[in-house]
Amino acid sequence: MNQAATTLTKVSLENARILVVDDQPINIQVINQVLGDCYHLRFAKSGQAALDICLSDPPDLILMDVVMPELDGLTTCKIIKNTPEISDIPVVFITSLQKSEEENACWQAGGIDYMVKPVNPLPLRNRVNAHLTLKFQADLLKKLAYLDGLTGVYNRRYLDEYLIQQTAQAKRSNQPLSLLMVDIDYFKQFNDEYGHLFADDQLKQTALSIKKTLQRPTDIVARFGGEEFVCVLPDTGKLGARHVAESIMQNIAALKITHKLSPHQYLTVSIGTATIEAKQDYGTDLIAIADKHLYKAKQTGRNKAI
Ligand code: GH3
Ligand code: MG
Ligand code: MG
Ligand code: MG
């Protein structure tokens, strides 16, 4: 079995984080008694409080009451399932409602399981354990499916999803969002001169250098295609994007990868930048703009950011 497969069968639930949502303190106490020793629990007394927690610091699993004043559990679950960045948090309903149409409503709202109050401790623990295991396995598979095999940075699939998520987030919080398209200069000649295997290796080094240059946990780099990478920089305006682009160029230049067939003598990159400033048009196609700017950088001498 390879390492990923081994890890998959042995996911650790030690650091699992569960959000318990219930308007009645007594219910929260009961669940705390059953699960508090095994997991890191947090509590919310309303649907809105649960949403706030999910958006700021998402849990691995939610145990959700149905009947609550204002935002009830069903509505809260539907909102979670319709919010891309938190939609994959599993929601287990724990409710005193028992009619079959009430149970059906829980499944329809997007719940992954349904338990009736008062819950028996052992079944609750076992089911929570099973759901967390599945969640962590799914997370791991997703992570593997999102990485580029050659360079180890994110792939195009992840980039597409992340960009949608971050555009929605920027719009919600009225923050700017920037994107960089980084393309290695004269890489065809580099392959011709030094061979494919060595070129692959330098492609990896370049990807790693870009990754290391990005400072914030929300900044990401993805391989967009052959020798092209895209960086997504949340909460970053034009000036910040420019700064990151310059740092990427400097750090790649510092690798001093010899490229005899380039007028610059070393491996360099050109970068196209694109920004949606705060409160501007969040429908703007950042990739198209960055691509256009990259083309300009290529046309006007390469080894530059525009
Ligand atoms: P420019 O400065 O205009 O970007 O020129 P370029 O040669 O870098 O760009 P072009 O689009 O003409 O060619 C890209 C080349 O990158 C084609 C191929 O030789 C190389 N390339 C793309 N993907 C890989 C890869 O995975 N490994 C290696 N070794 N080379 C790759
Ligand atoms: Mg209630
Ligand atoms: Mg290219
Ligand atoms: Mg190129």
mmCIF file of all heavy atoms in Angstrom, residues 216-233:
data_model
loop_
_atom_site.group_PDB
_atom_site.id
_atom_site.type_symbol
_atom_site.label_atom_id
_atom_site.label_comp_id
_atom_site.label_asym_id
_atom_site.label_seq_id
_atom_site.Cartn_x
_atom_site.Cartn_y
_atom_site.Cartn_z
ATOM 1 N N ARG A 216 0.668 34.746 3.176
ATOM 2 C CA ARG A 216 -0.548 34.552 3.981
ATOM 3 C C ARG A 216 -1.106 33.148 3.800
ATOM 4 O O ARG A 216 -1.006 32.581 2.715
ATOM 5 C CB ARG A 216 -1.622 35.544 3.534
ATOM 6 C CG ARG A 216 -1.210 36.980 3.697
ATOM 7 C CD ARG A 216 -2.376 37.864 3.347
ATOM 8 N NE ARG A 216 -1.986 39.258 3.334
ATOM 9 C CZ ARG A 216 -2.755 40.226 2.856
ATOM 10 N NH1 ARG A 216 -3.945 39.931 2.340
ATOM 11 N NH2 ARG A 216 -2.354 41.458 2.880
ATOM 12 N N PRO A 217 -1.736 32.638 4.861
ATOM 13 C CA PRO A 217 -2.291 31.280 4.746
ATOM 14 C C PRO A 217 -3.361 31.169 3.665
ATOM 15 O O PRO A 217 -3.592 30.089 3.134
ATOM 16 C CB PRO A 217 -2.885 31.002 6.130
ATOM 17 C CG PRO A 217 -2.817 32.272 6.892
ATOM 18 C CD PRO A 217 -1.879 33.209 6.206
ATOM 19 N N THR A 218 -3.996 32.278 3.321
ATOM 20 C CA THR A 218 -5.058 32.204 2.300
ATOM 21 C C THR A 218 -4.519 32.388 0.877
ATOM 22 O O THR A 218 -5.250 32.209 -0.089
ATOM 23 C CB THR A 218 -6.138 33.280 2.561
ATOM 24 O OG1 THR A 218 -5.479 34.531 2.778
ATOM 25 C CG2 THR A 218 -6.985 32.928 3.756
ATOM 26 N N ASP A 219 -3.240 32.770 0.731
ATOM 27 C CA ASP A 219 -2.641 32.867 -0.607
ATOM 28 C C ASP A 219 -2.383 31.455 -1.131
ATOM 29 O O ASP A 219 -1.865 30.617 -0.398
ATOM 30 C CB ASP A 219 -1.273 33.572 -0.546
ATOM 31 C CG ASP A 219 -1.379 35.033 -0.148
ATOM 32 O OD1 ASP A 219 -2.481 35.599 -0.245
ATOM 33 O OD2 ASP A 219 -0.341 35.602 0.255
ATOM 34 N N ILE A 220 -2.700 31.209 -2.397
ATOM 35 C CA ILE A 220 -2.378 29.889 -2.953
ATOM 36 C C ILE A 220 -1.726 30.019 -4.329
ATOM 37 O O ILE A 220 -1.908 31.018 -5.030
ATOM 38 C CB ILE A 220 -3.610 28.963 -3.098
ATOM 39 C CG1 ILE A 220 -4.614 29.542 -4.120
ATOM 40 C CG2 ILE A 220 -4.286 28.714 -1.770
ATOM 41 C CD1 ILE A 220 -5.181 28.482 -5.027
ATOM 42 N N VAL A 221 -0.941 28.989 -4.692
ATOM 43 C CA VAL A 221 -0.435 28.901 -6.061
ATOM 44 C C VAL A 221 -0.918 27.570 -6.639
ATOM 45 O O VAL A 221 -0.939 26.550 -5.958
ATOM 46 C CB VAL A 221 1.107 29.010 -6.131
ATOM 47 C CG1 VAL A 221 1.805 27.997 -5.247
ATOM 48 C CG2 VAL A 221 1.580 28.851 -7.581
ATOM 49 N N ALA A 222 -1.329 27.627 -7.912
ATOM 50 C CA ALA A 222 -1.781 26.414 -8.608
ATOM 51 C C ALA A 222 -1.097 26.345 -9.964
ATOM 52 O O ALA A 222 -0.767 27.371 -10.553
ATOM 53 C CB ALA A 222 -3.294 26.457 -8.795
ATOM 54 N N ARG A 223 -0.858 25.112 -10.430
ATOM 55 C CA ARG A 223 -0.330 24.966 -11.786
ATOM 56 C C ARG A 223 -1.506 25.107 -12.741
ATOM 57 O O ARG A 223 -2.468 24.351 -12.687
ATOM 58 C CB ARG A 223 0.342 23.602 -11.937
ATOM 59 C CG ARG A 223 1.130 23.491 -13.237
ATOM 60 C CD ARG A 223 1.897 22.204 -13.264
ATOM 61 N NE ARG A 223 2.639 22.013 -14.499
ATOM 62 C CZ ARG A 223 3.031 20.826 -14.925
ATOM 63 N NH1 ARG A 223 2.760 19.747 -14.191
ATOM 64 N NH2 ARG A 223 3.687 20.709 -16.052
ATOM 65 N N PHE A 224 -1.392 26.082 -13.611
ATOM 66 C CA PHE A 224 -2.501 26.411 -14.510
ATOM 67 C C PHE A 224 -2.428 25.581 -15.785
ATOM 68 O O PHE A 224 -3.421 25.203 -16.372
ATOM 69 C CB PHE A 224 -2.428 27.911 -14.843
ATOM 70 C CG PHE A 224 -3.608 28.420 -15.605
ATOM 71 C CD1 PHE A 224 -4.851 28.519 -14.995
ATOM 72 C CD2 PHE A 224 -3.481 28.811 -16.925
ATOM 73 C CE1 PHE A 224 -5.945 29.002 -15.698
ATOM 74 C CE2 PHE A 224 -4.568 29.297 -17.636
ATOM 75 C CZ PHE A 224 -5.809 29.392 -17.017
ATOM 76 N N GLY A 225 -1.205 25.308 -16.193
ATOM 77 C CA GLY A 225 -0.964 24.517 -17.400
ATOM 78 C C GLY A 225 0.521 24.247 -17.441
ATOM 79 O O GLY A 225 1.200 24.486 -16.448
ATOM 80 N N GLY A 226 1.062 23.774 -18.527
ATOM 81 C CA GLY A 226 2.472 23.418 -18.681
ATOM 82 C C GLY A 226 3.445 24.138 -17.772
ATOM 83 O O GLY A 226 3.814 23.628 -16.715
ATOM 84 N N GLU A 227 3.874 25.342 -18.156
ATOM 85 C CA GLU A 227 4.858 26.085 -17.349
ATOM 86 C C GLU A 227 4.247 27.387 -16.866
ATOM 87 O O GLU A 227 4.901 28.403 -16.760
ATOM 88 C CB GLU A 227 6.160 26.338 -18.122
ATOM 89 C CG GLU A 227 6.039 26.429 -19.621
ATOM 90 C CD GLU A 227 5.278 27.635 -20.124
ATOM 91 O OE1 GLU A 227 4.043 27.517 -20.252
ATOM 92 O OE2 GLU A 227 5.902 28.672 -20.407
ATOM 93 N N GLU A 228 2.941 27.306 -16.575
ATOM 94 C CA GLU A 228 2.210 28.481 -16.088
ATOM 95 C C GLU A 228 1.595 28.202 -14.731
ATOM 96 O O GLU A 228 1.032 27.142 -14.499
ATOM 97 C CB GLU A 228 1.078 28.828 -17.056
ATOM 98 C CG GLU A 228 1.567 29.398 -18.355
ATOM 99 C CD GLU A 228 0.415 29.657 -19.312
ATOM 100 O OE1 GLU A 228 -0.708 29.930 -18.854
ATOM 101 O OE2 GLU A 228 0.663 29.568 -20.523
ATOM 102 N N PHE A 229 1.712 29.192 -13.852
ATOM 103 C CA PHE A 229 1.148 29.069 -12.505
ATOM 104 C C PHE A 229 0.244 30.261 -12.231
ATOM 105 O O PHE A 229 0.488 31.366 -12.732
ATOM 106 C CB PHE A 229 2.273 29.037 -11.459
ATOM 107 C CG PHE A 229 3.204 27.867 -11.653
ATOM 108 C CD1 PHE A 229 4.363 28.002 -12.410
ATOM 109 C CD2 PHE A 229 2.899 26.627 -11.104
ATOM 110 C CE1 PHE A 229 5.215 26.922 -12.611
ATOM 111 C CE2 PHE A 229 3.746 25.544 -11.304
ATOM 112 C CZ PHE A 229 4.909 25.691 -12.058
ATOM 113 N N VAL A 230 -0.789 30.037 -11.423
ATOM 114 C CA VAL A 230 -1.669 31.136 -11.032
ATOM 115 C C VAL A 230 -1.661 31.250 -9.512
ATOM 116 O O VAL A 230 -1.767 30.246 -8.808
ATOM 117 C CB VAL A 230 -3.112 30.901 -11.547
ATOM 118 C CG1 VAL A 230 -4.102 31.805 -10.829
ATOM 119 C CG2 VAL A 230 -3.183 31.145 -13.058
ATOM 120 N N CYS A 231 -1.494 32.476 -9.017
ATOM 121 C CA CYS A 231 -1.594 32.734 -7.582
ATOM 122 C C CYS A 231 -2.900 33.473 -7.311
ATOM 123 O O CYS A 231 -3.229 34.419 -8.032
ATOM 124 C CB CYS A 231 -0.456 33.615 -7.085
ATOM 125 S SG CYS A 231 1.170 32.947 -7.423
ATOM 126 N N VAL A 232 -3.611 33.057 -6.279
ATOM 127 C CA VAL A 232 -4.798 33.788 -5.833
ATOM 128 C C VAL A 232 -4.437 34.458 -4.513
ATOM 129 O O VAL A 232 -3.932 33.803 -3.592
ATOM 130 C CB VAL A 232 -6.005 32.845 -5.647
ATOM 131 C CG1 VAL A 232 -7.229 33.622 -5.175
ATOM 132 C CG2 VAL A 232 -6.308 32.100 -6.942
ATOM 133 N N LEU A 233 -4.670 35.762 -4.442
ATOM 134 C CA LEU A 233 -4.278 36.544 -3.265
ATOM 135 C C LEU A 233 -5.499 37.264 -2.676
ATOM 136 O O LEU A 233 -5.823 38.374 -3.090
ATOM 137 C CB LEU A 233 -3.214 37.579 -3.658
ATOM 138 C CG LEU A 233 -2.026 37.073 -4.499
ATOM 139 C CD1 LEU A 233 -1.173 38.247 -4.984
ATOM 140 C CD2 LEU A 233 -1.178 36.094 -3.691
#
